[in-house]
Amino acid sequence: DAGRGGSGGDVEYTAEDLKALKWSDARIKAFLGRKTNPNAYYYRFNDMGEAQETGEWSTANKKRFMELIKDGVDYRWGIFSMRIPGRVGYQCSNYYRKLIMEGVINDPNYHIEADGKLKFVRPKGLKRGGPQTTKLEFAPAPAKPSGAKGEPGATAEPGEAGASAPAAPPAVKK
C-alpha cells in the first residue's frame, strides 16, 4: 500500500506559485523539500487537494492505525501519516500518545510522570528521525460481551467515546 505522496503530481511548483495560494513560508519550505524530507511536510500537511480530517477518528482509521503500529514505530509520524487518509503526522502522534495514556499500548520510551503527564525519553542510539523501530506491548483485548455498540454490555473501541481506560496508567519499563 503506497499511501499518499503524490503532492502536486508531476507538476513542479515554485515558491512564487505557492505564495499565490496564500501558503505560509513554513508550508512552502516543507512542500519544496517534500521529496528529500517527506516527514517534515506530512507532519503538518496533506497532499495538495486532500482535506484534513479533524475530530474523532473513524473506526476504519483507528483499525488502520493499529495495523500500522503492530510491528512497532519509528516516530516519523509525517511518513507514517501518509498511510492514514486525511490525517497528518501530528494527529497520528497525538492519537498514539492518547493510546499510551489509555493503557492500550505500552511504549518503553514513554514514561508517565508523577503529575500524570507523558514524557518521551529518547533511548541511547535512537536517532531523531531515524528508521529504528521501537517494539510495543499491547493490552489484551477485552472480552467482547454481547450487545451492539452503544447498548449495555457493548465495548467501545480504543480511543472512542465510551471506551473505558484502566484505573491507573500501566507500569512503564525503565
Side-chain angles (χ1 to χ4, degrees):
D1 67 310
R4 300 185 309 232
S7 205
D10 292 331
V11 178
E12 288 300 320
Y13 293 91
T14 66
E16 290 76 31
D17 295 332
L18 301 172
K19 282 183 184 190
L21 296 173
K22 301 198 184 308
W23 280 17
S24 70
D25 289 341
R27 184 172 187 182
I28 291 169
K29 180 180 177 183
F31 181 82
L32 293 176
R34 75 195 181 285
K35 291 180 181 173
T36 56
N37 188 2
N39 192 55
Y41 181 75
Y42 291 102
Y43 187 78
R44 289 188 174 79
F45 310 107
N46 283 331
D47 279 330
M48 292 179 87
E50 180 181 4
Q52 183 174 335
E53 290 195 27
T54 59
E56 287 295 317
W57 283 52
S58 69
T59 300
N61 278 354
K62 288 177 187 179
K63 181 178 178 188
R64 180 75 178 133
F65 187 95
M66 296 305 287
E67 288 169 2
L68 291 171
I69 67 168
K70 75 180 182 318
D71 295 322
V73 297
D74 65 8
Y75 309 107
R76 294 184 300 168
W77 296 112
I79 292 170
F80 178 91
S81 74
M82 293 169 71
R83 296 175 286 170
I84 308 277
R87 297 293 179 170
V88 296
Y90 73 82
Q91 292 174 307
C92 293
S93 176
N94 289 342
Y95 185 63
Y96 182 76
R97 289 191 307 271
K98 177 181 178 184
L99 293 175
I100 292 171
M101 291 299 291
E102 291 176 350
V104 175
I105 57 176
N106 181 13
D107 182 323
N109 298 321
Y110 276 92
H111 303 279
I112 299 173
E113 301 289 303
D115 62 3
K117 292 185 180 176
L118 197 59
K119 181 177 182 182
F120 182 75
V121 179
R122 186 175 305 281
K124 282 187 175 181
L126 182 65
K127 296 178 183 167
R128 182 176 288 281
Q132 305 92 338
T133 300
T134 297
K135 297 292 182 185
L136 309 173
E137 295 176 11
F138 296 87
K144 293 218 175 204
S146 62
K149 196 184 266 186
E151 293 179 6
T155 302
E157 298 204 17
E160 242 179 31
S164 60
V172 178
K173 296 178 196 166
K174 291 191 177 193

